[in-house]
């Protein structure tokens, strides 16, 4: 699957995201209430702290919850809310073990339609409609995962040439455009 991405703006962390479906899902899960780069560098930080070069759903699901929360809380913390995000990551990994034998890529590997892909992502713990739509767009735009109807399933995030989300980031310039779009949306919401 190895794809070049620029989500964390850190080469080692981006390399992991580009080759590890679980790291990508985890980064997306962490992408809330903190800067995107911080969220998407989280999987790399977790893997390093676990002494591994990738994340393993079986291993994370089996970790003692207090120990895993402590791992995410180490300075610098993986997230603003490391305890609650540790629980969410473990819930995600348990779900993957239970439904996909721990194989995160199985979520999209055989999805026949964009609608099916969206439904599978939307069913993940910690993923809602918007996060699932953004992830469908991310898979389609950056990873070539394009089942029939993927753009429609991604909603506005699937639009070509848009700068709405992480799905549209290819480097620092597009990151700035996505940031500007998000700031416009926040300003409009306040009015």
């Amino acid at each position: 699957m190895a794809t070049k991405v620029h989500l964390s703006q850190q080469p080692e962390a981006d390399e992991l995201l580009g080759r590890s479906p679980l790291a990508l899902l985890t980064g997306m899960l962490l992408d809330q209430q903190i800067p995107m780069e911080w969220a998407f560098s989280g999987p790399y930080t977790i893997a390093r702290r676990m002494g591994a070069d990738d994340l393993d759903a079986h291993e994370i699901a089996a970790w003692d919850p207090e120990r895993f929360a402590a791992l995410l809380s180490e300075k610098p913390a993986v997230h603003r809310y490391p305890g609650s995000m540790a629980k969410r990551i473990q819930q995600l990994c348990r779900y993957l073990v239970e439904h996909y034998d721990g194989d995160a890529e199985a979520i999209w590997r055989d999805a026949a339609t964009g609608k099916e892909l969206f439904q599978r992502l939307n069913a993940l713990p910690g993923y809602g409609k918007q996060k699932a739509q953004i992830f469908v767009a991310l898979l389609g735009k950056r990873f070539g995962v394009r089942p029939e109807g993927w753009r429609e399933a991604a909603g506005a995030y699937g639009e070509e040439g848009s700068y709405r989300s992480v799905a549209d980031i290819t480097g620092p310039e597009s990151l700035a455009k996505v940031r500007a779009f998000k700031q416009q949306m926040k300003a409009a919401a306040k009015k």
Side-chain angles (χ1 to χ4, degrees):
M1 169 176 140
T3 298
K4 192 148 180 72
V5 294
H6 304 275
L7 303 176
S8 75
Q9 303 293 303
Q10 295 177 20
E12 302 87 1
D14 282 334
E15 188 273 330
L16 176 62
L17 295 168
R19 68 175 163 81
S20 171
L22 181 54
L24 195 63
L25 281 172
T26 302
M28 190 73 201
L29 181 68
L30 291 168
D31 189 18
Q32 56 190 9
Q33 299 180 320
I34 61 171
M36 180 202 69
E37 299 92 332
W38 185 9
F40 281 96
S41 66
Y44 178 77
T45 302
I46 294 167
R48 292 285 138 235
R49 290 179 184 173
M50 292 179 79
D53 67 352
D54 197 354
L55 301 179
D56 180 287
H58 292 277
E59 184 179 357
I60 292 171
W63 263 54
D64 173 73
E66 286 182 22
R67 194 168 152 232
F68 193 66
L71 182 101
L72 269 68
S73 298
E74 285 176 27
K75 302 285 183 217
V78 171
H79 194 276
R80 177 183 291 160
Y81 304 107
S84 62
M85 293 314 290
K87 284 181 189 152
R88 286 190 171 182
I89 293 168
Q90 285 194 296
Q91 289 169 341
L92 173 66
C93 289
R94 286 185 197 113
Y95 184 91
L96 291 171
V97 168
E98 186 178 323
H99 296 274
Y100 295 99
D101 195 30
D103 179 6
E105 191 175 7
I107 295 168
W108 55 85
R109 186 183 303 116
D110 65 351
T113 65
K115 182 179 179 183
E116 180 182 359
L117 175 57
F118 167 79
Q119 289 171 335
R120 289 178 181 187
L121 290 164
N122 196 40
L124 296 175
Y127 276 63
K129 178 183 178 186
Q130 183 180 33
K131 203 172 278 285
Q133 285 181 317
I134 292 169
F135 204 86
V136 169
L138 178 63
L139 288 172
K141 291 179 175 183
R142 301 288 153 244
F143 290 87
V145 176
R146 298 176 178 149
E148 184 179 329
W150 74 270
R151 283 194 191 274
E152 295 77 8
Y157 301 104
E159 292 173 6
E160 199 157 348
S162 69
Y163 292 97
R164 295 178 184 275
S165 73
V166 298
D168 304 307
I169 295 172
T170 57
E173 188 178 308
S174 54
L175 171 61
K177 289 180 181 179
V178 168
R179 277 235 159 78
F181 175 81
K182 287 184 175 193
Q183 288 170 344
Q184 287 175 332
M185 297 309 290
K186 282 183 183 174
K190 285 181 180 177
K191 287 183 181 180

